[in-house]
Amino acid sequence: MSTLFLKELLEKATKLNKHVILCEGEDSRVVEASAKIIAQNLAKITLLGNREQIVKENPTINLAGINIIDPKTSEKRAEYAKLLFELRKEKGLTREQAEELSYDNTYFGMLMLKAGDADGVVSGACHSTANILRPALQIIKTAKGVPLVSACFVMIAPEGGNQYCKDGAFIFGDCGLNESPNSEQLADIAYASAQTAKAIVGVEPNIAMLSFSTKGSAKHPEVQKVIDATKILKERYPYLNVDGELQFDASLVPTVAKLKAPDSLVAGTANVFIFPDLSAGNIGYKIAERLGGFQAVGPICQGFAKPVNDLSRGCKVDDIVAAVAITALQTQF
């Protein structure tokens, strides 16, 4: 991974001194990441799980400084169960159901965040995306004026850099949540991803709306969807540097851009890549990670009222550390 970019990312997060909840104390990677975060003074960490079990299963990890809470025995559980009931009673949730859900680590973490007892939540190392997003949507909900929750990956360039990645990282979206977005939704995803590029990567976004066609080289409803999304973006946000439809090579490689899209201001210079659907995005980020050596941090959730982030179940310890840093930075916007 790009040591310089990651170093700068961690330094920015350290200065904020935020409190982040890691919900999966049963996962040794999460426990190790918690210890690493505390050792680096990156953030305050609350790890959810049974302390005795965590200690037993991780005998070589220094747990000093990590706040460990077991939802099943927490003195706050009844308070959080009441909060959940008040939030969901109009949707038919009973007091008994709220009580039962408050024992769950993910629900407990979201309620802790909702109550203002932490600044962000990271989970997903050993649970599905649905397991994270369901309580997040029910409890944290979307930010005001945000029509769609989406997800992107921060793709950190490998050690030694990448000839096309001048800033140390790209944004790939949506690679983790929306299966088949329409043109309006694709535009929303692109806008949110551009905001993430500014806030997290610290770059002015050059947004490529990706397709299997470049500037009319193919005609298909899926191509038209991307063309329409690009038009929506340009009309809503005329200050954004965005173009589409572009094939990936045309968006990334200057020599190809000159051949396929010579008049484009984005082609050959893109740093934010918006995939047309979840299949393309999910496959794309994993190719970049496994064959290209990029570190994939995310899925980074965009659009929640408070920072909530998912993890790939194939994540490494350093991915979790980086996700916590990004969660801390998200508290600023």
Side-chain angles (χ1 to χ4, degrees):
M1 75 196 82
S2 175
T3 304
L4 178 60
F5 176 83
L6 189 59
K7 182 174 181 289
E8 291 175 350
L9 182 73
L10 298 181
E11 285 176 353
K12 290 177 187 176
T14 298
K15 291 176 183 177
L16 298 175
N17 192 34
K18 295 298 181 178
H19 179 191
V20 178
I21 304 162
L22 290 169
C23 298
E24 298 162 307
E26 68 270 35
D27 192 298
S28 61
R29 294 168 298 171
V30 176
V31 179
E32 185 178 347
S34 298
K36 197 168 184 176
I37 291 162
I38 294 298
Q40 295 177 0
N41 293 313
L42 174 61
K44 299 172 184 175
I45 291 294
T46 289
L47 182 63
L48 300 184
N50 180 278
R51 173 177 284 275
E52 290 183 4
Q53 183 178 345
I54 292 170
V55 170
K56 181 181 178 181
E57 294 181 359
N58 301 277
T60 63
I61 297 177
N62 181 6
L63 302 177
I66 302 171
N67 181 37
I68 300 176
I69 295 178
D70 186 349
K72 294 178 176 59
T73 58
S74 170
E75 60 185 19
K76 286 262 195 175
R77 191 186 54 74
E79 177 186 328
Y80 291 158
K82 182 180 178 182
L83 172 60
L84 180 58
F85 172 70
E86 292 298 326
L87 288 169
R88 301 293 295 170
K89 62 183 180 182
E90 291 184 2
K91 299 293 184 179
L93 188 75
T94 66
R95 291 184 184 275
E96 292 75 16
Q97 289 169 329
E99 179 88 8
E100 183 65 26
L101 286 171
S102 68
Y103 284 102
D104 178 85
N105 283 14
T106 310
Y107 272 89
F108 188 94
M110 298 299 173
L111 289 163
M112 193 173 173
L113 177 60
K114 182 71 173 182
D117 294 333
D119 299 305
V121 169
V122 176
S123 192
C126 58
H127 290 91
S128 69
T129 294
N131 184 268
I132 314 307
L133 294 182
R134 186 181 303 107
L137 288 167
Q138 291 175 356
I139 297 166
I140 305 303
K141 303 182 180 179
T142 57
K144 186 177 180 180
V146 175
L148 180 76
V149 171
S150 60
C152 72
F153 276 84
V154 178
M155 304 296 296
I156 303 176
E159 186 67 49
N162 177 281
Q163 62 177 316
Y164 303 116
C165 190
K166 308 301 182 185
D167 299 303
F170 290 137
I171 295 293
F172 281 15
D174 182 332
C175 305
L177 184 54
N178 293 285
E179 294 178 0
S180 185
N182 59 32
S183 295
E184 290 273 348
Q185 293 169 329
L186 210 53
D188 291 332
I189 291 165
Y191 178 73
S193 298
Q195 299 305 106
T196 298
K198 281 185 175 183
I200 305 302
V201 183
V203 297
E204 193 62 32
N206 290 330
I207 309 162
M209 306 297 286
L210 298 177
S211 177
F212 59 84
S213 169
T214 296
K215 297 297 181 179
S217 64
K219 302 293 184 183
H220 191 276
E222 286 299 306
V223 174
Q224 190 61 46
K225 177 180 79 170
V226 176
I227 294 171
D228 292 343
T230 305
K231 183 180 179 182
I232 291 168
L233 272 168
K234 287 181 176 181
E235 290 174 349
R236 288 182 184 171
Y237 314 105
Y239 56 87
L240 283 180
N241 194 25
V242 56
D243 203 4
E245 84 286 15
L246 295 171
Q247 290 164 291
F248 187 81
D249 57 352
S251 68
L252 183 72
V253 185
T255 54
V256 178
K258 287 180 181 179
L259 291 171
K260 293 187 174 183
D263 298 325
S264 175
L265 298 177
V266 172
T269 66
N271 51 24
V272 177
F273 300 88
I274 305 303
F275 293 84
D277 57 41
L278 186 58
S279 290
N282 191 270
I283 292 166
Y285 99 78
K286 289 182 178 177
I287 289 173
E289 180 184 29
R290 301 298 179 177
L291 294 183
F294 278 74
Q295 180 185 2
V297 181
I300 304 303
C301 295
Q302 305 171 139
F304 282 118
K306 293 185 177 184
V308 173
N309 283 311
D310 192 11
L311 294 165
S312 167
R313 278 174 281 182
C315 66
K316 304 178 182 66
V317 170
D318 285 343
D319 298 335
I320 302 169
V321 173
V324 167
I326 288 171
T327 302
L329 292 174
Q330 283 181 311
T331 62
Q332 300 178 101
F333 68 97

